[in-house]
């Protein structure tokens, strides 16, 4: 396959822009190769976006009715919304969530999802439902099950088992587009025993722990009440903080904790829109520094929108933030996924890299080159420019339509599943789990 006539961005950090045909062979960017040609003249070809933290299980929550007292803080948001929704999920709704979430990811130019899945009423096999749905669309993914003690010890044990089961499947089968991590909810819903079981599973499989960390102050207060140490300190002493670890949010990490995260070379997924939506405070992006990647925390998977919002939120406080900041964050997200796949070139379009790419139909109104690209990203480009998407050398989107599935039928089926899910939700009361240390 040859993508001809485009301007090609081969790397986001540092930005490299070249005028070249893109050759794809055996799922990878090739030096040159024959085969069919697709006209991409006037288009921009960029590496596929990676979302470093999302929750596909929340895809059917959009517009969901809410009849309880409005939540007054982050814990109540979990108790009254997300810890009700997750218990209402069944096989049909897990599958529909993954399909419709995967569809929206592809259509917005996101080729890899690092997902954190929860479905306490159907834990065993749930990661197969997600991975099979995403594979059917052609989305690359790094999956895990969100282990937690909030629904009791049996659920916590089942969560660890599901992570191990799926990691065994990844190890034993040819799943070209899926890898695993060990998922854990957050320090404040994890006993020492469950945290140790997660850490042991991660070590056994040589993967990282994917866990929310210091998203809200309640997580820190709980950890201090539980063991007299802050969250990152607790994780570090449990052996849960290393170069494979992915911490989501990290909003309330203090200087000492950030020092621990840096020393461990762990990654932090920043989720700007979710942080704003949940009123949990602002991540200290200056202190968190280079190890920050970008996720959506389940607010879709549009990384144009997420990176732009994160940029403007940061600029509001610091006008010195450069336009290359969102590109660097997206490069870190891709590196994180690349480590999971053993593909260090993932996120670039260098020869040998997995052919995960997006063709943007973009009539640039100003010159496009290495020094201007960041400006185009922040002020011009968006998911509406996404024309074609390729993952591992296979087309997943062509001419703004899913290449392998009828997207209208898929969305219609999801709507039916959502109505059923919302009806079940009416019967589920607010969760009663409380963190230690109070609000
Ligand atoms: Zn999250």
């Amino acid at each position: 396959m040859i993508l001809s006539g485009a301007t090609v961005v081969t790397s986001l950090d540092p930005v490299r822009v070249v005028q070249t045909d893109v050759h794809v062979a055996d799922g990878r960017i090739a030096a040159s190769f024959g085969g069919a040609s697709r006209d991409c003249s006037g288009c921009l070809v960029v590496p596929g976006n990676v979302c470093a933290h999302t929750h596909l299980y929340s895809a059917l929550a959009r517009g969901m009715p809410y009849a309880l007292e409005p939540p007054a803080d982050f814990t109540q948001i979990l108790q009254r919304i997300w810890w009700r929704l997750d218990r209402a999920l069944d096989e049909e709704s897990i599958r529909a969530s993954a399909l419709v979430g995967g569809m929206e990811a592809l259509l917005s130019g996101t080729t890899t999802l690092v997902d954190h899945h929860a479905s306490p009423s159907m834990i065993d096999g749930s990661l197969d439902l997600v991975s099979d749905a995403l594979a059917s669309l052609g989305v690359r993914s790094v999956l895990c099950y969100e282990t937690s003690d909030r629904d009791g010890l049996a659920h916590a044990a089942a969560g660890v088992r599901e992570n191990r089961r799926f990691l065994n499947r990844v190890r034993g089968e040819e799943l070209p587009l899926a890898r695993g991590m060990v998922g854990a909810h957050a320090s404040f819903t994890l006993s020492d025993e469950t945290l140790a079981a997660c850490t042991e599973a991660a070590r056994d499989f040589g993967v990282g722990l994917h866990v929310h960390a210091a998203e809200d102050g309640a997580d820190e207060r709980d950890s201090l009440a539980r063991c007299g140490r802050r969250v990152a300190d607790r994780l570090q002493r449990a052996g849960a903080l290393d170069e494979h670890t992915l911490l989501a949010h990290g909003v309330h990490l203090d200087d000492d904790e950030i020092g621990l995260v840096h020393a461990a070379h762990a990654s932090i997924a920043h989720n700007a829109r979710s942080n704003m939506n949940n009123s949990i405070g602002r991540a200290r992006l200056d202190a968190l520094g280079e190890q920050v990647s970008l996720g959506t925390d389940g607010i879709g998977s549009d990384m144009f929108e997420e990176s732009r919002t994160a940029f403007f939120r940061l600029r509001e406080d610091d006008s010195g933030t450069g336009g290359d900041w969102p590109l660097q964050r997206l490069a870190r997200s891709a590196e994180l996924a690349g480590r999971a796949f053993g593909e260090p070139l993932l996120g670039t379009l260098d020869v040998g890299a997995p052919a995960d790419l997006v063709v943007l139909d973009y009539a640039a109104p100003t010159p496009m080159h290495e020094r201007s690209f960041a400006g185009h990203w922040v002020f011009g480009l968006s998911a509406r420019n996404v024309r074609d998407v390729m993952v591992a050398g296979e087309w997943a989107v062509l001419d703004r339509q899913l290449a392998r599935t009828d997207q209208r039928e898929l969305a219609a089926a999801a709507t039916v599943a959502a109505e059923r899910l919302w009806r079940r939700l009416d019967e589920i009361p607010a969760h009663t789990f409380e963190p230690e240390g109070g609000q």
Side-chain angles (χ1 to χ4, degrees):
M1 171 64 65
I2 304 168
L3 284 64
S4 63
T7 300
V8 183
V9 178
T10 60
S11 162
L12 298 182
D13 180 31
V15 174
R16 286 197 305 267
V17 180
V18 289
Q19 298 289 333
T20 182
D21 290 345
V22 178
H23 298 259
V24 176
D26 298 327
R28 294 179 183 277
I29 306 298
S32 67
F33 195 74
S37 175
R38 182 158 176 82
D39 182 11
C40 297
S41 47
C43 293
L44 194 60
V45 175
V46 299
N49 283 326
V50 174
C51 176
H53 176 73
T54 190
H55 302 282
L56 287 166
Y57 77 79
S58 70
L60 302 184
R62 194 177 300 169
M64 179 169 83
Y66 181 81
L68 307 182
E69 282 288 299
D73 55 46
F74 178 68
T75 302
Q76 290 183 0
I77 290 173
L78 297 177
Q79 292 166 334
R80 297 177 190 182
I81 300 172
W82 304 114
W83 293 348
R84 289 172 59 231
L85 176 84
D86 63 7
R87 283 177 289 160
L89 290 166
D90 62 4
E91 183 172 339
E92 178 199 39
S93 46
I94 295 168
R95 186 179 291 117
S97 298
L99 284 170
V100 82
M103 172 187 84
E104 291 199 331
L106 286 174
L107 293 174
S108 62
T110 297
T111 51
T112 301
L113 297 171
V114 181
D115 189 63
H116 200 259
H117 175 73
S119 52
S121 304
M122 194 202 158
I123 298 175
D124 185 31
S126 59
L127 295 180
D128 289 348
L129 295 175
V130 178
S131 70
D132 292 351
L134 295 179
S136 74
L137 301 170
V139 189
R140 195 184 288 277
S141 63
V142 183
L143 305 179
C144 70
Y145 187 86
E146 182 221 69
T147 307
S148 172
D149 284 295
R150 68 175 178 271
D151 293 305
L153 289 177
H155 281 75
V160 176
R161 266 202 314 278
E162 177 62 2
N163 281 298
R164 282 184 172 275
R165 189 196 62 73
F166 186 70
L167 285 162
N168 258 320
R169 187 180 169 204
V170 167
R171 185 183 267 179
E173 275 181 58
E174 189 63 20
L175 292 178
L177 295 182
R179 292 294 182 271
M181 295 181 79
V182 172
H185 172 246
S187 171
F188 76 96
T189 77
L190 292 168
S191 67
D192 288 344
E193 293 72 21
T194 301
L195 179 56
C198 290
T199 307
E200 196 182 326
R203 200 180 298 122
D204 286 351
F205 287 90
V207 300
L209 191 72
H210 183 176
V211 60
H212 295 103
E215 179 173 3
D216 183 68
D219 198 20
E220 292 288 9
R221 287 190 291 277
D222 175 274
S223 185
L224 286 166
R226 213 180 259 272
C227 66
R229 305 179 191 290
R230 292 176 70 87
V231 168
D233 196 3
R234 183 178 182 222
L235 292 174
Q236 200 253 352
R237 282 166 194 266
L241 205 56
D242 62 28
E243 71 274 21
H244 303 297
T245 306
L246 175 56
L247 305 176
H249 300 279
V251 171
H252 294 270
L253 296 174
D254 72 7
D255 287 339
D256 291 342
E257 293 178 285
I258 291 172
L260 291 174
V261 172
H262 285 172
H265 301 288
S267 298
I268 296 182
H270 175 53
N271 306 271
R273 290 180 300 163
S274 170
N275 292 352
M276 288 188 262
N277 189 48
N278 289 336
S279 311
I280 54 168
R282 295 191 199 179
R284 298 169 57 211
L285 292 163
D286 52 342
L288 290 170
E290 259 307 293
Q291 283 153 238
V292 174
S293 54
L294 288 182
T296 61
D297 206 23
I299 307 179
S301 306
D302 179 347
M303 301 314 291
F304 292 98
E305 188 175 357
E306 187 69 46
S307 65
R308 196 191 314 260
T309 306
F311 173 77
F312 288 128
R313 190 72 184 96
L314 192 50
R315 285 280 292 202
E316 190 175 24
D317 294 333
D318 177 6
S319 62
T321 305
D324 49 359
W325 182 87
L327 300 177
Q328 291 164 350
R329 304 286 70 78
L330 290 167
R332 297 296 91 73
S333 301
E335 286 166 9
L336 175 83
R339 281 196 293 279
F341 279 86
E343 294 281 4
L345 294 178
L346 196 141
T348 76
L349 299 181
D350 292 338
V351 170
D356 291 12
L357 56 83
V358 180
V359 180
L360 299 168
D361 183 0
Y362 177 59
T366 59
M368 172 69 71
H369 48 60
E370 284 167 9
R371 291 181 313 287
S372 71
F373 177 69
H376 285 282
W377 188 278
V378 170
F379 299 108
L381 290 164
S382 75
R384 77 190 154 86
N385 301 114
V386 173
R387 189 190 80 177
D388 311 321
V389 178
M390 177 182 276
V391 180
E394 304 283 340
W395 290 116
V397 174
L398 279 171
D399 294 322
R400 304 175 187 273
Q401 300 287 316
L402 291 181
R404 308 174 196 188
T405 310
D406 184 316
Q407 64 199 48
R408 290 190 184 282
E409 281 177 21
L410 192 157
T415 304
V416 172
E419 279 176 325
R420 292 193 190 124
L421 175 70
W422 293 0
R423 273 200 295 276
R424 286 197 298 281
L425 207 57
D426 285 340
E427 311 300 317
I428 298 177
H431 208 293
T432 55
F433 182 90
E434 291 280 353
E436 295 180 32
Q439 277 305 305

